[in-house]
Every structure is written in C-alpha cells, then in structure tokens.
C-alpha cells in the first residue's frame, strides 16, 4: 500500500472500527442512557464518514484507492446505505426500547451488525467477506432472540440459523473454487478477470457461479425457504427494520459483486430466474391476502428480493442497485412506522376498490403501452447502454401503469384520466432518469438478455397481473376463493419445510409464558 492510499484507507477503516468500538463500549455501559448516547454518536460518525467517502469517490472517479479495502462506487454506496440504516434504527430504538431490560446489549448488537455489514461491503478478500457475513448472521441471531420466551421467534431464529449456515457453506465452496482457479483470494482481481475476458467458463467456474446463486437465494429468503422471514416479526420492530432494510439485501450485493461471473453462466442465470421469478410472483400474491401489517411487509420483502435477483440475472445490474437502495429505505421506514397501521387501514376502508369495466382496462392498457413505448424509443436512441434492451422490465412497467390508470378514483384518491396519465408520465420519467444516473455511476458488464429469459419473466409478470386482478375484482367467484385460501396458507410450503427441518435438526422451543387456556362454559354463560 502506497503513502497516497493511506488517507482513504484510514477513512474506510474508521467506519467499521467506530461501530465495533461503539458496540464494545455500549455493552459495558452501566446505564442504558449512556449506551444509547454512545450508539447515536458512533452511527452518526459512520454516516458522515461514509457520505464523505462517497462524495470523494464520485469526484475522483477511478482514481480513489483504498489499500486493502474496495472503494468503487458500488462499495461506497452500500457503505453509506448501511450506515444510514444503522443511524435511523439506533435513533428509533432509543425511544422504542425504553423500560426494556438488556438495552445495552441491544445497542451493542445493532452496532455490531452494521460494523460487520461495513466490513462485508468493503472487503477485498474472500475470507474477510465470508467472516464478516458470518459475523452479521451471528449478531442477527442474538437480536432475533431478544425475546427468548417467544416460541415463534425461537423457531424462526432456529430455521434462519440453519439456512444461513447452508448459504455460507455454498459461498465457502464457491470461494474455494474461485481461489483454486485464479490463485488469489482478492475479490477485485477475480472480478476483473471476468470483466476483461469473455472466454467460456470451465466446469469449476460454472459450479462456483451456481453456488453463489444458491447462497443468494437462501440469504434472500426465497421460496420455499422463506418462513423464517415471515416469523421474525415476533422480534422487536427495530430488529425487523434492520433485517428487512439492510441485512437481507446482502444476497443481492453478493450477486452484484460477482455479476461479471454470473452473467457468463447460463445455468446460474436459469436457476435464479426460475426460483426467484416464481418466488417474487407467489410472495406478492400471498402478501395481498394478509391483514397484519408486519406480515404483509415480510411477504413483500421476499417478493422484492426475488425481483431484485431476477434483475441481476437479466443483466440489469444498475436497475438492481436502484431497487436495492429504494427497497432498503422504504422497508426500514415501513417497519418503523408500522404503528400507524390502524390509520392506514381506516383510509383503505374509506376507499373501497371499484371494479373497472373492460373498456377502462383496455383504455388504461393502451395509454400505458403508448407511454412506455415512447420512453422506450427515447432510451434506445439516446443511450448506448444495453440496460434498456430487455423487454420484460418494460412489460412490468406497462402493467403497473395499467393498474394505476384503471383503478383511479375512490373516496381518498380521485382524479381525472388526464391527471393520472400525467402522473404515469412523471413516474416513468423518474424511473428512466434514476436508472440512467446509476448506469453512469455503476456501469454493469456488457450483456445481452437472452430471449428465453425475457419471455419467461414477461410471462410471470403477466401471471402476476392476472393474479392481482382475480384477488381484487373476482373474489366473489368460488374458485377464486379456493385459490385465495391456498395463497393465504402460502401453499403450505413453510409447514413442510418446518416439519422437515425439525426432523433433521430438532430444537426445543420455549413454552409460552402465559399460554391460553380453555375454560368450560358455565350454565350462566349459556343464558
């Protein structure tokens, strides 16, 4: 490491180091107030340092070097995101956990999680990355068990513990294969080899790509290994915000990091498109059947993670990064504001869905298709990137705008067709602008989306639209009600996985502190 790299390396090291020291000192504080004060100071410092690093990196371009850390746009953006979510969660937890025991331990664990996340997104060595990933999982396990007497929380933590070890074993095997093939554990060197060379992959490289895809699918809670993500809502709300807003995105980050390898492996792409594509559609439809706001958000996370992995497999890495950033901020906010669910439910009840006529649906589809086609022509002619060549994202955008235009009008949201058309144009413009900006900041490898992948995902998006229509406007039909029952149960996939998991690796669950008891009905109660 040269002398010119020392300042940047010191700043990059300071972010995880401050959080790690803050975790140690917060745990040893005699009073919760002092622990939270220290946690707020360390997370704010990490946020300011990561923001300064991102600005410095964007201004200096490829000239910014960080010694043993990676300091590219992807890594600095992820570092800023992690520290921002950590700062918000700590600020919220300071008041949320007032009066709870073991607050110092909670503050220490939250800082430890984001310290490990910072190391993972900056590390330039396979073993350091894997060790940080393991540290994140272990700290999250303790947070999920913050209320150890809750059976559902213990079951979720047990399943997550086992699935996380399986994901780490896949990653370890993939890293070993890559190390043996390239003769180095430096991530930047390995990724650069696939960026510069498009030669056919060997069998070991194909196997490594598939193992990385498996690790990401497991980490992102894709069906059928999704149940733990739904059940961890038993943990405190800040833990859910930490998990859904930050930690679960690391599966997507893993694939973004190794996207040059992944996009040269057809089997790995097919695996992700099959599993994550089906998971995103089913999880989105199951979410619509749930009433509990936190459970709905958990199903939404599984669906969003599946869609993000699909975007990476299609070669749309800049869109996947945009998706990751937007989902992290939105989902952290949604969990931390979940206490407003009653008010939101009242507003929803005041705005009953009106079933649009066939003419309205066809008109909305025609207008949406024209808007998207117009922007598609602009994107194709104005940008040289292949990121706009894939068809399926435009299909999804068209269907989303169709729903927006067709279902306009209720007690809460009213407006003319012209106003909603203008809104659709604005949303499409914002989508195109943000995707273009991230395409410049984080240009992905040159990749042409295979026609079979485009057709597969377009078919799934149409199926999602049809499922949405059935649930919203055809629930009075008996066969749709039967389908809705299976959707509400998640097709019983988690029950099967839970039963199988406990048979392979039994775990004694705690008993309820105050179990419900059935009392015989007295004669007076019958009168």
């Amino acid at each position: 490491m040269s002398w010119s790299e020392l300042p940047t390396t010191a700043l990059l090291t300071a972010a995880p180091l401050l959080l790690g020291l803050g975790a140690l000192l917060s745990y040893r504080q005699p009073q919760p107030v002092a622990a939270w004060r220290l946690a707020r100071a360390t997370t704010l410092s990490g946020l300011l340092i990561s923001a300064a690093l991102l600005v410095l990196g964007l201004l200096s371009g490829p000239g910014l070097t960080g010694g043993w850390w990676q300091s590219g746009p992807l890594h600095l953006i992820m570092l800023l995101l992690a520290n921002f979510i950590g700062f918000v969660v700590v600020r919220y937890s300071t008041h949320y956990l007032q009066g709870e025991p073991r607050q110092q331990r909670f503050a220490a664990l939250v800082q430890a999680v984001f310290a490990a996340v910072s190391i993972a997104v900056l590390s330039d060595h396979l073993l350091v990355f894997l060790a940080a990933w393991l540290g994140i999982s272990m700290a999250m396990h303790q947070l999920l068990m913050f209320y150890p007497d809750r059976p559902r929380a213990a079951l979720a933590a047990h399943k997550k513990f086992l699935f996380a070890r399986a994901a780490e074993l896949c990653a370890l095997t993939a890293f070993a294969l890559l190390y043996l093939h390239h003769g180095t554990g430096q991530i930047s060197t390995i990724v650069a080899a696939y960026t510069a060379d498009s030669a056919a992959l060997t069998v070991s490289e194909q196997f490594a790509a598939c193992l990385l895809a498996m690790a990401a699918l497991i980490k992102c809670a894709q069906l059928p290994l999704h149940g733990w993500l739904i059940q961890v809502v038993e943990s405190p709300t800040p833990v859910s915000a930490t998990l859904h807003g930050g930690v679960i995105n690391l599966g997507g980050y893993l694939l973004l990091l190794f996207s040059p390898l992944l996009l040269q492996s057809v089997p790995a792409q097919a695996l992700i498109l099959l599993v994550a594509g089906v998971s995103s559609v089913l999880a989105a439809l199951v979410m619509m059947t749930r009433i509990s706001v936190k459970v709905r958000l958990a199903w939404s996370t599984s669906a969003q993670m599946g869609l993000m992995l699909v975007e990476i497999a299609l070669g749309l890495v800049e869109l996947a990064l945009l998706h990751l950033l937007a989902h992290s901020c939105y989902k952290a906010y949604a969990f931390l504001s979940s206490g407003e669910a009653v008010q939101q439910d009242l507003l929803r009840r005041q705005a009953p869905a009106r079933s649009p006529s066939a003419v309205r649906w066809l008109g909305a589809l025609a207008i949406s298709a024209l808007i998207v086609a117009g922007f598609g022509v602009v994107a194709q002619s104005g940008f040289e990137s292949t990121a706009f060549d894939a068809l399926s994202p435009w299909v999804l955008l068209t269907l989303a705008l169709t729903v927006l235009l067709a279902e306009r009008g209720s007690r809460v949201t009213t407006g003319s067709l012209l106003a909603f058309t203008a809104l659709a144009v604005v949303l499409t413009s914002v989508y195109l602008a943000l995707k273009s900006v991230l395409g410049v900041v984080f240009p992905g490898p040159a990749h042409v989306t295979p026609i079979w992948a485009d057709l597969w995902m377009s078919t799934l998006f149409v199926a999602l639209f049809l499922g949405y229509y059935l649930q919203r406007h055809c629930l009075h039909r008996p066969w749709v009600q039967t389908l809705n029952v299976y959707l509400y149960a998640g097709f019983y996939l988690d029950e099967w996985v839970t039963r199988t998991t406990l048979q392979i690796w039994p775990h004694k669950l705690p008993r309820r502190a105050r179990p419900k008891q059935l009392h015989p009905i007295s004669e007076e109660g019958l009168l």
Side-chain angles (χ1 to χ4, degrees):
M1 183 174 62
S2 63
W3 286 101
S4 60
E5 296 177 354
L6 279 177
T8 305
T9 304
L11 279 176
L12 290 168
T13 306
L17 182 61
L18 280 174
L19 290 172
L21 290 176
L24 179 61
L25 296 176
S26 295
Y27 183 76
R28 302 181 64 178
Q29 293 298 317
Q31 296 297 329
V33 175
W36 288 121
R37 186 184 300 115
L38 181 60
R40 289 196 301 269
T42 57
T43 52
L44 177 59
S45 301
L47 176 60
L48 295 176
I49 291 172
S50 55
L53 281 167
L54 180 58
V55 172
L56 182 62
L58 294 177
L59 291 177
S60 61
L64 183 66
T65 54
W68 53 77
W69 301 115
Q70 295 196 78
S71 53
L74 173 64
H75 314 98
L76 297 180
I77 290 174
M78 292 296 297
L79 179 67
L80 177 60
L81 175 66
N83 281 273
F84 173 71
I85 299 296
F87 173 70
V88 172
V89 168
V90 166
R91 284 291 298 265
Y92 182 89
S93 304
T94 303
H95 304 287
Y96 180 87
L97 291 173
Q98 280 188 1
E100 291 281 351
R102 308 191 311 276
Q103 292 185 50
Q104 296 94 318
R105 183 171 181 269
F106 189 95
L109 286 172
V110 169
Q111 293 175 86
V113 166
F114 287 103
V117 171
S118 299
I119 294 174
V121 299
L122 292 177
S123 61
D124 194 23
H125 197 279
L126 297 174
L127 288 181
V128 176
F129 178 90
L130 193 62
W133 216 10
L134 179 61
I136 296 167
S137 181
M138 292 301 181
M140 278 303 305
H141 181 79
Q142 298 302 317
L143 284 174
L144 295 176
M145 290 296 293
F146 188 72
Y147 296 132
D149 57 335
R150 296 185 177 182
R152 283 175 60 86
L155 177 61
H158 176 63
K159 290 195 293 185
K160 180 188 180 301
F161 183 87
L162 295 180
F163 298 158
R165 302 293 81 75
E168 288 149 10
L169 182 61
C170 290
L172 175 62
T173 308
F175 289 172
L177 291 173
L178 293 175
Y179 175 81
L180 292 175
H181 182 80
H182 294 276
T184 179
Q186 194 172 20
I187 297 175
S188 57
T189 303
I190 295 173
V191 172
Y194 296 107
T195 305
D197 186 13
S198 58
L201 300 180
T202 64
V203 175
S204 63
E205 290 175 302
Q206 293 278 10
F207 193 39
C210 291
L211 286 172
L212 290 176
M214 281 292 298
L217 290 169
I218 297 172
K219 279 288 187 178
C220 289
Q222 297 301 281
L223 273 63
L225 306 180
H226 64 288
W228 66 268
L229 184 66
I230 313 303
Q231 293 155 358
V232 295
V233 297
E234 291 285 327
S235 57
T237 297
V239 177
S240 299
T242 301
L243 176 63
H244 293 261
V247 172
I248 199 170
N249 296 292
L250 288 173
Y253 170 74
L254 175 69
L255 293 191
L256 285 174
L257 187 61
F258 289 95
S259 57
L261 167 62
L262 177 73
L263 295 178
Q264 295 184 39
S265 173
V266 175
Q269 294 176 56
L271 175 63
I272 293 174
L273 292 173
L274 176 63
V275 178
V278 173
S279 295
S280 61
V281 172
L282 291 182
L285 294 177
V286 172
M287 177 197 71
M288 294 180 60
T289 66
R290 297 308 179 103
I291 299 174
S292 169
V293 62
K294 292 181 72 174
V295 174
R296 285 173 65 91
L297 290 173
W299 278 104
S300 169
T301 296
S302 181
Q304 295 292 336
M305 290 298 100
L307 184 57
M308 182 181 66
L309 296 181
V310 163
E311 291 162 353
I312 299 172
L314 291 174
L316 309 173
V317 293
E318 68 291 321
L319 179 59
L321 180 57
L322 174 61
H323 193 162
L324 189 154
L325 297 174
H327 176 265
S328 293
C329 296
Y330 160 72
K331 199 52 66 74
Y333 169 80
F335 269 101
L336 296 181
S337 63
S338 59
E340 302 173 4
V342 175
Q343 181 181 1
Q344 295 171 1
D345 183 66
L346 290 176
L347 289 175
R348 212 164 26 245
R349 291 173 183 272
Q350 293 175 3
R354 298 177 184 176
S355 184
S357 63
V359 174
R360 174 173 281 196
W361 278 111
L362 291 175
L365 178 61
I367 295 173
S368 301
L370 287 175
I371 294 173
V372 172
F375 277 97
V377 171
V378 172
Q380 290 281 355
S381 59
F383 301 95
E384 298 181 357
S385 173
T386 58
F388 298 98
D389 293 344
L391 174 65
S392 48
W394 298 108
V395 171
L396 179 60
L397 182 59
T398 302
L399 296 176
L401 294 180
T402 300
V403 173
L404 174 69
L405 295 176
E407 293 186 343
R408 66 186 186 277
S410 67
R411 296 182 189 176
V412 177
T413 58
T414 56
S416 63
L417 176 61
L418 180 60
F420 273 80
T421 302
L423 176 60
V425 172
V426 170
L427 291 176
T428 309
S429 303
V430 172
Y431 162 77
L432 187 65
L434 290 176
K435 186 176 178 180
S436 303
V437 169
L438 279 180
V440 174
V441 174
F442 178 57
H447 176 71
V448 178
T449 303
I451 185 64
W452 60 267
D454 237 355
L455 291 176
W456 165 249
M457 289 312 305
S458 298
T459 303
L460 287 181
F461 292 150
V462 172
L464 175 61
F465 174 79
L466 294 176
Y468 171 85
Y469 174 79
L470 291 175
Q471 284 193 299
R472 289 279 289 178
H473 304 290
C474 299
L475 205 53
H476 58 281
R477 302 181 183 277
W479 69 273
V480 179
Q481 295 175 3
T482 303
L483 175 62
N484 205 55
V485 170
Y486 283 97
L487 286 172
Y488 181 83
F491 295 97
Y492 303 99
L493 291 173
D494 181 53
E495 284 75 9
W496 173 76
V497 170
T498 301
R499 183 170 59 250
T500 305
T501 302
L502 292 179
Q503 288 176 351
I504 297 175
W505 198 302
H507 181 70
K508 184 177 181 181
L509 301 177
R511 301 185 62 182
R512 285 184 177 272
R514 297 178 180 177
K516 296 180 180 179
Q517 296 180 357
L518 298 178
H519 299 280
I521 302 176
S522 61
E523 293 184 359
E524 291 82 3
L526 294 175
L527 299 178

